[in-house]
Each structure stands twice: as structure tokens, then as C-alpha cells.
Amino acid sequence: MNKGYWVVAYRSISDESALKTYGELAGAAIAANGGTLLVRTTGGLEVHEAGLKQRTVVVEFPSFEQAQRTYASEAYQVALRALGTSAERDFRIVEGVDQ
């Protein structure tokens, strides 16, 4: 079973307070579902080619299916409602490679 990952790039943030509340709620939902935060940065970011310097988050899950279930979970949906329209994000759930 391949691991699953959330890969999120923040295009814009209009309300840091809402983002902080979202982060607390999302962090709890992620941990409760076996996820591990691997990357959360606004600094320490070097971009190349067509890359954009954006806040980036990467979360690892035991499986692709678990990553999908976590996104659909009630706890994470509460976090999304707290975020509301405070951020524009490119959010992807991707499957890791066979090891």
C-alpha cells in the first residue's frame, strides 16, 4: 500500500487569524487520522523554473486512501469551514511511489 500525501501551496492569505484557527483544527484532524506534518514553510523555500514562492505544506499519511478519508472527515471539514475564504490554495492529494 502506497503512502498518501497532501501537497498544498497557498496562493494568497487574507486573514492570518482564520489561518491560525484552521491550522489548529486541521492539525488535530490530521494527527487523529495518522497523518504526519512533513513541511510547513513560508521561508526556507527555493523555487526554480516556473515555481512560485508560496507557503507550502506537505502532510504524509499511511496510505493514499487514508489521505482521502482524512480530507472527507468531519473534523477536517470543520477546519475548512474555519478557514472559509481566508486563503486561496492549490490543494492536492497524491499517491506515493512503490517502495
Side-chain angles (χ1 to χ4, degrees):
M1 183 177 322
N2 295 340
K3 291 184 178 185
Y5 298 87
W6 288 2
V7 180
V8 186
Y10 284 74
R11 293 184 176 137
S12 66
I13 299 165
S14 60
D15 184 345
E16 288 286 342
S17 176
L19 181 62
K20 183 177 185 212
T21 300
Y22 160 81
E24 292 166 359
L25 294 168
I30 289 165
N33 286 281
T36 303
L37 183 65
L38 299 179
V39 174
R40 181 179 59 205
T41 185
T42 53
L45 178 65
E46 182 176 328
V47 298
H48 296 276
E49 298 172 31
L52 302 173
K53 195 161 190 161
Q54 300 172 322
R55 181 183 306 225
T56 304
V57 176
V58 178
V59 180
E60 180 180 70
F61 290 90
S63 70
F64 179 67
E65 293 77 14
Q66 189 62 35
Q68 293 173 306
R69 280 192 298 273
T70 302
Y71 187 87
S73 73
E74 180 58 29
Y76 187 70
Q77 293 304 304
V78 168
L80 280 179
R81 286 192 292 276
L83 181 62
T85 60
S86 299
E88 180 184 354
R89 309 182 306 162
D90 178 348
F91 190 115
R92 298 163 190 233
I93 300 175
V94 298
E95 185 174 19
V97 297
D98 290 333
Q99 301 216 0

